Amino acid sequence: MPTNSTTKKDYRIIGFLLFLSLVPSIAGLVRIFQLTTGSGYTVENQRFFNDPIPVILHIIAVLIYSVLGSLQFAPGFRSRHLRWHRISGRILVFLGLLTAGTGLWLTWVYPKVPTDGDWLFGIRMVIGIWMLICIILGFVFVLQKNFRTHSHWMIRGYAIGLGAGTQVFTHLPWFVFVGGEPSGIPRDLMMAAGWLINFLVAEWIIWKENSFRN
């Protein structure tokens, strides 16, 4: 039987991950509404209206990946629902690959927007490739029944997938103290900081888990 403390830990993990996904999910749903209704057209988002399918696929994949993934990393919930964990895990592998793949496609094919600096293209390409590697390795290790290493790589992939949620907070000081939309190198650094923070948190979680088991 799971203890109350385990249940509370599950709620904290799931709640935090869903909270981190909230703003990007709302923004993504608004974007889908705009693209499907033809509203909110501007010069800045013209690229989405010109070729909407990839960005819609990306948004849907990220949204489901974020929400479904939050349940995978709650240890008590996972141990009580192993069959569900395995089935949803296969879905998450597909969604993670779709998230990374469409993200790379959007970066490579869509024209650069004026607010992007010179570094952001390269940063996004590295992040997209890293997420692909994490998901693929996570899948390979679960096939080999190396569940511990599988978990570590899936944590890394999920952390990258939640980058947009952390970027809300890395942009917040700019909005408060400077105002307006950041552009150029400051925007590149704030975007990179969101992924970097998630990367470091993921590595800390993995290190902590390894230290506890050793």
Side-chain angles (χ1 to χ4, degrees):
M1 289 291 291
T3 64
N4 290 334
S5 60
T6 300
T7 302
K8 290 178 180 178
K9 182 180 179 181
D10 287 347
Y11 287 141
R12 288 197 297 269
I13 292 172
I14 295 170
F16 174 74
L17 294 176
L18 290 178
F19 172 75
L20 202 59
S21 307
L22 181 62
V23 173
S25 295
I26 293 173
L29 291 173
V30 170
R31 178 73 71 193
I32 291 176
F33 175 79
Q34 290 175 336
L35 293 173
T36 54
T37 62
S39 60
Y41 179 91
T42 65
V43 174
E44 287 75 18
N45 63 25
Q46 176 183 359
R47 64 195 187 284
F48 300 135
F49 286 90
N50 291 343
D51 192 8
I53 300 300
V55 72
I56 290 175
L57 287 175
H58 183 72
I59 292 169
I60 292 173
V62 172
L63 197 156
I64 302 175
Y65 182 75
S66 301
V67 173
L68 197 59
S70 67
L71 301 175
Q72 296 289 90
F73 299 105
F77 183 90
R78 182 175 64 242
S79 63
R80 293 193 299 272
H81 304 281
L82 286 177
R83 178 175 170 80
W84 180 91
H85 175 76
R86 296 187 188 102
I87 294 172
S88 63
R90 294 183 179 94
I91 298 172
L92 283 167
V93 167
F94 170 75
L95 292 172
L97 294 175
L98 183 60
T99 295
T102 53
L104 286 168
W105 194 96
L106 296 174
T107 301
W108 186 265
V109 176
Y110 275 20
K112 177 184 174 183
V113 296
T115 54
D116 288 355
D118 295 333
W119 298 351
L120 195 52
F121 175 86
I123 292 170
R124 282 174 169 156
M125 293 299 294
V126 169
I127 290 300
I129 293 171
W130 174 245
M131 186 173 177
L132 280 177
I133 291 172
C134 292
I135 301 297
I136 292 170
L137 286 177
F139 184 66
V140 169
F141 281 113
V142 80
L143 291 179
Q144 297 174 351
K145 300 189 183 304
N146 187 341
F147 300 116
R148 185 176 180 181
T149 307
H150 155 74
S151 174
H152 294 167
W153 282 105
M154 296 306 288
I155 288 171
R156 292 180 175 114
Y158 186 73
I160 294 300
L162 283 185
T166 308
Q167 286 160 358
V168 173
F169 296 98
T170 59
H171 281 68
L172 193 58
W174 180 278
F175 294 138
V176 172
F177 297 108
V178 180
E181 184 74 19
S183 62
I185 299 302
R187 169 173 160 79
D188 295 0
L189 293 176
M190 283 181 271
M191 295 287 287
W195 284 306
L196 178 61
I197 290 170
N198 284 15
F199 171 81
L200 293 175
V201 169
E203 294 304 318
W204 175 78
I205 291 171
I206 293 167
W207 172 82
K208 186 177 178 181
E209 182 179 309
N210 285 334
S211 299
F212 176 77
R213 291 185 178 181
N214 293 333

